[in-house]
Amino acid sequence: MSIAKLARRVVRALTPYQSARRIGGNGHVWLNANEAPRATPFSVESSKFNRYPECQPAQVVDGYAAYAGVNADQVLVSRGADEAIELLIRTFCEAGEDQILICPPTYGMYAISAETCGVGIVEQPLTADR
C-alpha cells in the first residue's frame, strides 16, 4: 500500500509546486519566487543547530515592530513565508466558506495553502494600469 493513498483527497489532487525558476522566465527579479533582490551578509552560530528556535523571539518581534512602526502584538515571526501563509489561512479562513485573493504573478504557496485548507481562490491578474 502506498502512503499517498492515506493522504486527504484534496492533498492528492493538488498540482505539485514548482519554483519560479523551474517554471521559466528571465530577468533578475522574481516576484513569484518570494526572494529578496539583494543578498546581505550574515553569520550563523552552528552550536545551536540542534535546537528548535524560539517561537516568537522578543528581540526579533520588537525589532521588526519598531522598524515597521507597528505594535509588537501585530508581528508574526515564522520560519519562512510558507509557514506564515499556511498559519494565516488556517487561522482566519473557514474551509468551504472563505476565499483569498491572489494577483498573479505571485508566490505559488498562497494558492497551494488555500487549496490544501479547502479555501477558495479568486485571481485578479495585474494590468498595465495597476
Side-chain angles (χ1 to χ4, degrees):
M1 178 168 150
S2 167
I3 194 166
K5 291 182 179 182
L6 298 174
R8 294 174 31 229
R9 283 186 303 278
V10 68
V11 173
R12 290 192 316 256
L14 287 173
T15 301
Y17 171 76
Q18 293 197 28
S19 69
R21 284 188 172 62
R22 183 176 245 176
I23 292 169
N26 51 38
H28 299 289
V29 177
W30 299 74
L31 294 177
N32 58 344
N34 200 31
E35 298 175 344
R38 294 181 300 277
T40 55
F42 66 93
S43 63
V44 176
E45 175 56 54
S46 63
S47 68
K48 297 181 180 181
F49 282 169
N50 62 331
R51 302 285 181 241
Y52 285 106
E54 186 180 340
C55 182
Q56 292 292 305
Q59 186 176 3
V60 175
V61 170
D62 293 342
Y64 191 79
Y67 168 79
V70 299
N71 297 325
D73 64 355
Q74 295 173 295
V75 175
L76 170 66
V77 175
S78 67
R79 293 170 293 265
D82 293 2
E83 180 185 44
I85 292 165
E86 183 87 9
L87 284 170
L88 291 170
I89 290 173
R90 284 189 353 218
T91 301
F92 297 106
C93 297
E94 291 289 344
E97 294 179 24
D98 292 322
Q99 299 174 320
I100 65 165
L101 172 69
I102 61 173
C103 302
T106 190
Y107 187 46
M109 288 306 293
Y110 293 108
I112 289 172
S113 289
E115 287 180 61
T116 302
C117 294
V119 171
I121 300 165
V122 175
E123 284 193 25
Q124 178 59 55
L126 297 176
T127 60
D129 62 336
R130 294 187 206 167

